[in-house]
């Protein structure tokens, strides 16, 4: 109950403070911007950053500006200012980390704004490095799309596929292996490569035989190409080859 009461109090106080600050204080005048505050109020504002669910950096910036203005106006001294700013950074880092932990299993679009804030504060709150590493891995995984498509649009090469599969599997996703979107992307890549290999690996050697058969005298050796035109047409390299060698397969 005490913990619940504390949290409710922080929310209430922080909300009231932000309301008053944005109105220009509680003295009846509507002054734009933040207003200097005493130490006890600033402590509550700093604490509120850790409790309130993170959505953007605006609250952090507001509290930081208030601390600096309060120092400039003599409400707090240098020691108090540094202590408040240090605690503010730690609390903000905690809020960022909590936000990441709340979304890491279900986000579908890369959280670029959150990632940028986490990166900026990782030296001030060490626990952020885990989430940053996982998000870097997610980004690395999504960038594999270009390599996978290039492979599928090129001539079959066993080593290329093997290396791609290894690179995909070696990406250290951490907790994101349980993110359904992340898992779907990975499985999609591996599935496309597996299907491509199953479709083409036995047909590809026949391309060389057909290319060498200038007079079309050994049709029986590459006859499977004629029977498997629908499969070949699925892939750019083989579709282009078919269009240039249609007469050999007729």
């Amino acid at each position: 109950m005490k913990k619940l009461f504390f949290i409710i109090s922080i929310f209430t106080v922080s909300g009231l403070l932000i309301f008053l600050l944005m109105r220009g204080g509680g003295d009846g005048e509507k002054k734009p911007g933040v207003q200097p505050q005493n130490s006890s109020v600033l402590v509550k504002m700093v604490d509120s950053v850790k409790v309130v669910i993170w959505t953007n950096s605006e609250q952090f910036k507001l509290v930081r500006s208030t601390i600096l203005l309060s120092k400039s106006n003599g409400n707090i001294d240098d020691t108090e200012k540094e202590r408040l700013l240090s605690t503010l950074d730690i609390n903000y880092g905690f809020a960022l980390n909590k936000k990441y932990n709340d979304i890491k299993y279900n986000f579908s679009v890369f959280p670029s704004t959150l990632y940028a804030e986490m990166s900026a504060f990782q030296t001030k709150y060490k626990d952020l490095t885990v989430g940053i590493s996982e998000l870097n891995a997610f980004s690395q995984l999504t960038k594999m799309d270009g390599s996978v498509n290039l492979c599928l649009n090129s001539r079959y090469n066993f080593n290329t596929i093997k290396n791609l599969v290894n690179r995909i599997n070696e990406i250290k996703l951490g907790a994101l292996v349980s993110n359904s979107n992340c898992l779907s992307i990975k499985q999609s890549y591996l599935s496309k490569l597996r299907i491509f290999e199953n479709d083409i690996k036995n047909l590809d050697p026949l391309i060389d035989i057909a290319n060498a058969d200038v007079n079309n005298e050994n049709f029986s050796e590459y006859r499977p190409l004629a029977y498997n035109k629908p499969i070949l047409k699925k892939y750019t390299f083989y579709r282009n080859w078919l269009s240039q060698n249609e007469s050999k397969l007729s």
Side-chain angles (χ1 to χ4, degrees), residues 152 161 188-201 231 234-235:
L152 299 178
I161 291 180
S188 175
Y189 292 159
L190 297 176
S191 177
K192 288 178 180 179
L193 292 172
R194 183 173 61 253
I195 292 171
F196 175 60
E197 183 167 38
N198 289 339
D199 281 346
I200 297 298
K201 65 181 178 181
I231 289 178
K234 289 167 55 179
Y235 306 104

Side-chain angles (χ1 to χ4, degrees), residues 7-212:
I7 293 174
I8 293 174
S9 298
I10 288 293
F11 272 105
T12 302
V13 171
S14 62
L16 179 60
L17 286 172
I18 293 173
F19 172 75
L20 291 174
L21 290 171
M22 296 304 290
R23 283 176 59 88
D27 57 2
E29 293 184 31
K30 294 185 177 180
K31 300 177 182 178
V34 300
Q35 294 294 307
Q37 303 293 334
N38 61 43
S39 179
S40 61
V41 172
L42 292 172
V43 168
K44 290 182 174 65
M45 292 181 70
V46 169
D47 287 343
S48 72
V49 172
K50 186 176 183 179
V51 177
V52 175
I53 297 174
W54 182 91
T55 53
N56 54 51
S57 62
E58 292 306 309
Q59 184 186 8
F60 168 81
K61 292 177 181 178
L62 175 64
V63 176
R64 191 175 192 280
S65 296
T66 304
I67 293 171
L68 296 176
L69 184 61
S70 298
K71 167 60 181 66
S72 297
N73 281 264
N75 295 56
I76 55 174
D77 58 24
D78 279 324
T79 300
E80 184 70 0
K81 182 196 77 172
E82 294 304 323
R83 186 183 69 80
L84 287 167
L85 290 177
S86 177
T87 305
L88 176 63
D89 287 343
I90 293 172
N91 286 355
Y92 189 58
F94 177 89
L96 292 171
N97 198 53
K98 185 176 185 300
K99 180 67 175 182
Y100 172 70
N101 287 332
D102 287 345
I103 69 167
K104 64 183 177 182
Y105 297 122
N106 52 38
F107 72 83
S108 57
V109 178
F110 187 84
S112 55
T113 302
L114 176 60
Y115 174 78
E117 291 297 298
M118 291 170 67
S119 298
F121 281 82
Q122 61 180 315
T123 59
K124 300 171 183 178
Y125 194 79
K126 300 296 184 183
D127 288 352
L128 290 171
T129 56
V130 174
I132 291 171
S133 176
E134 291 174 351
L135 288 173
N136 284 337
F138 179 84
S139 179
Q140 183 183 355
L141 178 67
T142 57
K143 289 177 180 177
M144 291 296 295
D145 185 65
S147 297
V148 171
N149 286 331
L150 179 61
C151 177
L152 299 178
N153 291 325
S154 303
R155 187 168 183 178
Y156 171 79
N157 183 288
F158 171 80
N159 288 326
T160 299
I161 291 180
K162 180 181 178 181
N163 290 337
L164 266 178
V165 169
N166 288 339
R167 285 169 58 192
I168 292 168
N169 285 328
E170 288 170 0
I171 296 174
K172 301 184 184 303
L173 295 168
L176 295 186
V177 294
S178 298
N179 178 295
S180 58
N181 183 57
C182 187
L183 183 61
S184 176
I185 293 172
K186 180 177 179 179
Q187 290 179 337
S188 175
Y189 292 159
L190 297 176
S191 177
K192 288 178 180 179
L193 292 172
R194 183 173 61 253
I195 292 171
F196 175 60
E197 183 167 38
N198 289 339
D199 281 346
I200 297 298
K201 65 181 178 181
N202 293 325
L203 296 177
D204 182 76
L206 304 182
I207 298 290
D208 291 329
I209 297 175
N211 288 340

